Amino acid sequence: MFGKGFARVALALMVLAAGGQVGVAREIAHAMGVTEVPDAPQRVVILTNEGTEALLHMGVVPVGAAQSWDGNPWYKHLEAQLADTVSLGTESAVDLERIAALQPDLILGTKVRQEKIYDQLSAIAPTVFTETIGGEWQENYQFYADALGLSEKGRTDLAAFAEKTDRLRAALGDRVEDQISLVRFSPGRTRIYYRDTFAGVILDQIGFKRPPAQDRMDFAEQVTKERIPEMAGDRIFYFSADDDNDEARVNLAEWTQDPVWQSLDAVKAGNAYRVSELFWNSGGGIYCAEIMLDQLAANYGVTY
């Protein structure tokens, strides 16, 4: 079975059909098999939000990308870099005709979102998929780098991020022992977030602890108000829709005004904080991760 560490690159020689010259191509092992990709792709399509951040961070501007979850069509922090990039619909509903019109030489996506259209994408251009998204964002970053022929750049960037987490850990001192609770309030689906989430993996990397009820290598679990006590922690970071739409605002107030929530020690001590859903959850990429680190440092009043 294909595991999370599937981003393995093997170099292989091939004879170019036009002219019979010998060139270098690369075979990329990925979630759907093995695909031969161009050595230096020039027209890249990316079908995940985290992947869009990864490419831009590596200096690669995609010709087309899945639109941001909350944006028109891009997140504000990416708009300038994506000024010339074509929006391709959401991760869950990409526009195949628009992709084909771009004549890409490489398509990057994820099995968890686009497995059903993999064959159609592969008919347009060489297509490689990650297994999933979320907690695996760093493994995926290296995978994208490998697929682009930028393996060393990927390793360097991830090492720099790890060094930032090390600096933050040192700046926090004993407070890195805090048990951090993560909660998402959403109409009809309030969830406690565990360790195998975007924010959870980053908290682990810094060295924070999680409350016993949340110390699980799982994604998240939908809960009812009877389980509010499981949201307890030394500090609670929670998020809801950043646009504060009416439905989300009413739902958030209903939960945070509940007497059981109000009785949590962190809430009574003023240690329950609303944070950006984009940067702590939905964005899922390296820019969001770096901003999350900065927001944690600001919350704790440290520099790093």
Side-chain angles (χ1 to χ4, degrees), residues 53-81:
E53 292 208 358
L55 267 60
L56 294 175
H57 198 270
M58 287 184 269
V60 176
V61 178
V63 295
Q67 70 185 56
S68 302
W69 288 117
D70 299 311
N72 189 26
W74 313 119
Y75 294 134
K76 293 290 186 183
H77 68 288
L78 302 178
E79 281 181 340
Q81 295 183 81

Side-chain angles (χ1 to χ4, degrees), residues 285-299:
I286 192 166
Y287 287 122
C288 290
E290 292 173 339
I291 292 169
M292 180 182 159
L293 292 186
D294 292 344
Q295 291 184 349
L296 273 167
N299 181 269

Side-chain angles (χ1 to χ4, degrees), residues 46-50 52 64-75 78 82 85-94 98:
I46 177 68
L47 302 180
T48 68
N49 280 222
E50 60 145 35
T52 300
Q67 70 185 56
S68 302
W69 288 117
D70 299 311
N72 189 26
W74 313 119
Y75 294 134
L78 302 178
L82 293 171
T85 299
V86 175
S87 171
L88 300 173
T90 68
E91 291 181 4
S92 302
V94 297
R98 194 172 294 178

Side-chain angles (χ1 to χ4, degrees), residues 39-238:
D39 185 48
Q42 300 299 307
R43 298 183 60 79
V44 181
V45 160
I46 177 68
L47 302 180
T48 68
N49 280 222
E50 60 145 35
T52 300
E53 292 208 358
L55 267 60
L56 294 175
H57 198 270
M58 287 184 269
V60 176
V61 178
V63 295
Q67 70 185 56
S68 302
W69 288 117
D70 299 311
N72 189 26
W74 313 119
Y75 294 134
K76 293 290 186 183
H77 68 288
L78 302 178
E79 281 181 340
Q81 295 183 81
L82 293 171
D84 297 323
T85 299
V86 175
S87 171
L88 300 173
T90 68
E91 291 181 4
S92 302
V94 297
D95 188 325
L96 290 167
E97 290 186 4
R98 194 172 294 178
I99 294 172
L102 290 172
Q103 298 183 316
D105 54 9
L106 178 64
I107 300 172
L108 302 170
T110 184
K111 182 178 179 180
V112 73
R113 294 279 194 242
Q114 296 115 21
E115 180 179 12
K116 292 182 179 179
I117 59 169
Y118 175 75
D119 289 342
Q120 293 164 282
L121 291 168
S122 295
I124 297 171
T127 300
V128 295
F129 277 4
T130 64
E131 186 76 35
T132 189
I133 51 181
E136 294 80 2
W137 73 270
Q138 293 180 73
E139 291 91 335
N140 291 351
Y141 189 96
Q142 187 62 53
F143 173 78
Y144 298 133
D146 292 342
L148 293 166
L150 299 172
S151 296
E152 186 57 36
K153 171 69 172 167
R155 287 188 286 271
T156 299
D157 289 351
L158 291 174
F161 181 79
E163 198 271 333
K164 288 188 72 172
T165 65
D166 290 343
R167 293 202 313 267
L168 180 53
R169 182 188 311 116
L172 289 165
D174 291 343
R175 288 181 292 178
V176 80
E177 298 296 322
D178 280 358
Q179 294 182 359
I180 304 298
S181 172
L182 289 175
V183 184
R184 183 192 187 206
F185 295 107
S186 180
R189 192 170 69 169
T190 288
R191 294 188 291 184
I192 293 174
Y193 274 50
Y194 300 127
R195 292 172 58 196
D196 192 19
T197 55
F198 176 71
V201 166
I202 294 171
L203 292 174
D204 274 1
Q205 191 166 348
I206 295 166
F208 280 115
K209 304 299 182 287
R210 300 297 301 276
Q214 299 179 25
D215 193 14
R216 297 164 49 180
M217 192 49 70
D218 292 319
F219 175 65
E221 187 173 0
Q222 184 173 339
V223 296
T224 58
K225 289 181 181 176
E226 288 75 18
R227 294 179 63 182
I228 287 177
E230 295 177 38
M231 299 176 181
D234 294 317
R235 295 196 185 207
I236 303 171
F237 293 100
Y238 64 92

